[in-house]
Structure formats: structure tokens, C-alpha cells
Amino acid sequence: MKNTIGIFIAISFATALVAGCGEPQSPEEKETVVATNTKASITSQDWGMVDSQSVKLFTLTNTNGTEVKITNYGGIITSWKTKDKAGNISNVVMGFDSLAPYLQAPPYFGAIIGRYGNRIANGTFSLEGKTYKLATNNGKNHLHGGKKGYDKVVWTAEPATDGKISLVLTYTSKDGEEGYPGNLKIKVVYTLTDADEIAMDYSSETDKTTVVNLTNHSYFNLTGDVSNTILHHELQIDADKYTPVDATLIPTGDIIDVTGTPFDFRKPTKIGDRIADVDGGYDHNLVLSKTSEGMELVATLYDSISGRQLEVITDEPGLQFYSGNFLDGKLTTPDGKPIIKHGALCLETQHFPDSPNKPQFPSTVLKPGEKYATQTIYKITVRK
Ligand code: GLA
């Protein structure tokens, strides 16, 4: 069975590629099935051009009818449609239905973030006796890979050939790109499972010692309606500690017990209950209390309006909880609703911000010959 699907994928994808060489067609009219196993499928459509490279939008559908759309521009998850407790289907992530708004640099909606997720203080770090100067794009700091991070490049994308509903994205980040040392070959595999999970497998290799911290920057609103803020969503995070930050959101280097602070999410707590006690809102790295280096359930987000629950499973040591503090209503959803402050939130699994300058944090250094490999699963189910 698996092989049959694999062959079908290969043939269909080749057909799609050949079809892509023909006359220009509008994004709507060209939709090609590139993989299917009866009910589950991957289709692709042309979405435009960036940097003389063709951008596509892929639609992954599982046997439950759950549908995820991903573009190879920035490896962005543009929508994730799931059922609520009444069986109504809606999109639970912030995104757009065409390429143009993504080219206006929205705040990393759904994108792959790299080479380094979150901030590096003053855009500089030293490695093996050499000081590197990175692009600064957040005041004096470096944020999410710099001016043109992995969220703004065109990735090579192909459906997997192993029978899974997976999209394989690859990109080579050149030595010196945004100031980082080493040619870094990156692979990110997104898989939509029949358990309504998006599994994200990140791997990379370098030819010079460098730092790597990849993540995904999806913004969730589990109600599926951005006019509800996420302040009533209940969040639970298995983290005994967090890393406090300075005024520019750079960790001070301390690792603090969450007991008695608004960062204690060890019991499910409404986000709005204590957000007023956090200057600027939540935008902090929680130090996960994992008992192994393997995959563990680390966070659960629940919305009682829709009954939807998001579980976050990862092998990463940290979780950046960002409560959409910089959203300001200027961007709108495809159905015209303003994406307001706290209209959506991010749970970014990663190593800690500014680790290259904080030897006390888990290392993000990758050397030639080593393999960087991490996995995160977002799983959405419904509580009835
Ligand atoms: C991350 C950062 C935030 C902000 C958002 C994007 O979550 O920690 O400070 O930059 O990305 O707006």
C-alpha cells in the first residue's frame, strides 16, 4: 500500500512539475493533485513568483477532512481548518489567502524561523574565538534570523514519497547569510497525520561551526474567529522556571522559579487572568520541565467556546509564549476581520533566546559532522 502511494506521489508530482512548465495560469485555475491515498491528499497550486522562483500553495488533507495549507514561501502554514465541538469547520491560525500580503512582512505568521529563533543581543556573538556581526532588525538586536530570515525565502518543496501526507521543504542558507558562519543545509518536513497533528521535523548540517535554533511561528486562535481575543483561552505549560528579560526582550541570563509569578502555568490558567501583571504582555521563554531529551507533551491550550484543544509535544528545552502583544488590528484575515492585540498567540518550541551569549543556557552550537535534529507536534482535538 505504502509503495503504491509513493509511486502515485512520484508520478503525480512529476506531472505537476511538467504542467508547471506550460503557459502561465492563474493561481485559482491550476490545482494539481500531487499525492493521494483515497481520502487523504496533497494538492498544489501556483501562487506567484518571488526572487525569480516559483511559489506554490500546497493543501494537505487527512482522512478526517482536516485541511492544512502550506506555502514554500517561508515554509508558512497559511491555514489549518479543523472542526469545533459542534462540527463546524474553521481556520485556527493567522494567515492570508494570497501571496501578496506575505510580501509585506507580516509578523512571521505561520513561518519557519531561522537561522536563530528569537533574539540575539546586539546582533553579535563569538564562537571559537571569532566574533560574528549579524544583521540587526529589532532595535539594536537580531530577531528571527535577521532582515531576510527563513520566513522570507523560497524553499524547495516536494511531497514525501513514503506514503505519508508530508511536505518536505529544503533550503541552503549560505555562509555569511545575515552574518552567520557556515553553509547550512536545512530540511523541514511537515506531516499531517490522521490524529489531526502537524508534525514538524527539522534537521540541518553545516560546513563551519555555527548556531542554529529553528522553530515555527504559527499564531493560534482556537475559536477560529479573531474577533475573540485569546485572553479567555486556558493555557497549561509544564515549566517550573522561566527566563526573565530586559526592556529589549533579551534574557537577563537568570533562570527563575515560576512559583508565585504570572508565569506559573503548571495548572491550566486563563491567559487574561494575570496578563496585566506582565509588562507588555507575555513574550517569554519558559524553561520546560522535561524529564528526558525526547518528545514530551509540554503545553495544552484550551478554548471553551469551540471546545478545541491544542497540545504541544516537543523535544526542545524551551517554549516562547507570545500573547500577540504587537498585533494592532492593521492586518486583516481573508474574511476582513482585523487581527487585534491578543487576537492570537504563539507557542514557539525552541532553545532559549540569546543562548549564543549565555553559556549557562543549553547550547545552540552546531559543528561540521554533527546533525541538528528536532521535532515538534501541534495536535488539535475537541473536548465535547
Ligand atoms: C516573537 C518575539 C516577539 C515578537 C514576535 C513577532 O514571538 O518574541 O517579541 O517579535 O515574535 O512579532
Side-chain angles (χ1 to χ4, degrees):
M1 184 65 183
K2 269 192 175 171
N3 272 345
T4 321
I5 297 163
I7 291 163
F8 187 84
I9 292 167
I11 294 170
S12 306
F13 191 58
T15 314
L17 288 178
V18 171
C21 300
E23 291 183 11
Q25 297 169 56
S26 79
E28 294 73 33
E29 75 186 77
K30 182 174 178 294
E31 182 142 344
T32 315
V33 176
V34 290
T36 183
N37 60 15
T38 55
K39 284 188 192 152
S41 64
I42 304 182
T43 62
S44 95
Q45 64 186 100
D46 290 337
W47 231 34
M49 299 287 285
V50 173
D51 298 339
S52 313
Q53 288 170 282
S54 112
V55 174
K56 295 199 181 291
L57 182 69
F58 294 86
T59 303
L60 287 63
T61 311
N62 70 10
T63 53
N64 310 323
T66 297
E67 181 202 271
V68 174
K69 288 185 187 280
I70 302 169
T71 172
N72 60 324
Y73 177 71
I76 295 170
I77 298 174
T78 67
S79 95
W80 184 355
K81 288 189 179 156
T82 74
K83 286 189 187 131
D84 67 8
K85 62 184 171 191
N88 300 317
I89 295 176
S90 43
N91 176 24
V92 297
V93 294
M94 295 308 110
F96 306 115
D97 59 1
S98 65
L99 180 59
Y102 286 107
L103 305 180
Q104 304 302 311
Y108 309 96
F109 283 3
I112 297 173
I113 305 297
R115 187 172 300 199
Y116 199 95
N118 214 279
R119 293 175 178 79
I120 296 182
N122 304 309
T124 186
F125 65 95
S126 298
L127 214 48
E128 297 178 337
K130 256 188 104 173
T131 298
Y132 294 95
K133 198 73 203 119
L134 304 174
T136 49
N137 59 326
N138 188 245
K140 58 184 183 158
N141 299 323
H142 174 90
L143 174 66
H144 293 332
K147 295 197 166 110
K148 187 170 180 177
Y150 301 166
D151 58 302
K152 296 181 186 69
V153 302
V154 179
W155 294 65
T156 300
E158 287 179 24
T161 50
D162 59 0
K164 292 184 180 159
I165 299 301
S166 299
L167 188 67
V168 181
L169 296 163
T170 51
Y171 175 69
T172 299
S173 167
K174 295 246 159 64
D175 186 13
E177 192 174 299
E178 301 294 314
Y180 289 102
N183 292 296
L184 188 72
K185 282 192 183 160
I186 311 144
K187 179 154 108 174
V188 178
V189 183
Y190 285 116
T191 303
L192 174 63
T193 73
D194 279 337
D196 287 341
E197 300 160 326
I198 299 181
M200 298 168 285
D201 282 275
Y202 305 83
S203 53
S204 67
E205 285 173 315
T206 184
D207 59 2
K208 275 187 195 164
T209 303
T210 189
V211 292
V212 188
N213 188 27
L214 305 177
T215 191
N216 174 276
H217 209 302
S218 287
Y219 286 70
F220 294 92
N221 182 320
L222 296 182
T223 69
D225 178 353
V226 78
S227 37
N228 303 307
T229 68
I230 48 78
L231 295 178
H232 73 278
H233 282 38
E234 260 176 32
L235 181 60
Q236 194 253 319
I237 307 175
D238 284 331
D240 292 333
K241 299 188 173 74
Y242 80 105
T243 52
V245 289
D246 69 14
T248 67
L249 296 172
I250 294 291
T252 59
D254 298 326
I255 298 180
I256 305 273
D257 192 324
V258 294
T259 309
T261 76
F263 302 94
D264 189 349
F265 281 97
R266 289 173 295 187
K267 293 204 182 93
T269 309
K270 283 205 173 121
I271 291 164
D273 282 0
R274 299 166 307 182
I275 197 168
D277 302 333
V278 183
D279 241 2
Y282 292 102
D283 195 351
H284 292 78
N285 169 61
L286 282 289
V287 178
L288 298 171
S289 313
K290 293 174 76 252
T291 54
S292 72
E293 288 193 349
M295 297 290 282
E296 290 181 27
L297 173 66
V298 297
T300 305
L301 182 70
Y302 172 64
D303 157 49
S304 58
I305 299 176
S306 65
R308 290 190 186 93
Q309 162 178 289
L310 168 72
E311 288 169 297
V312 182
I313 300 145
T314 191
D315 56 11
E316 285 281 8
L319 182 76
Q320 182 79 13
F321 168 35
Y322 170 57
S323 53
N325 315 320
F326 302 124
L327 299 172
D328 58 6
K330 286 194 187 127
L331 296 168
T332 52
T333 60
D335 54 355
K337 293 193 174 148
I339 304 174
I340 53 177
K341 185 172 183 179
H342 307 314
L345 63 82
C346 303
L347 296 169
E348 302 153 69
T349 54
Q350 56 192 28
H351 273 56
F352 308 173
D354 202 31
S355 300
N357 294 307
K358 302 280 185 322
Q360 66 273 40
F361 290 175
S363 171
T364 52
V365 173
L366 183 72
K367 296 187 173 157
E370 294 176 348
K371 185 145 186 168
Y372 171 98
T374 81
Q375 193 186 28
T376 291
I377 295 173
Y378 286 143
K379 174 174 183 165
I380 294 185
T381 49
V382 160
R383 288 191 205 164
K384 298 238 168 159

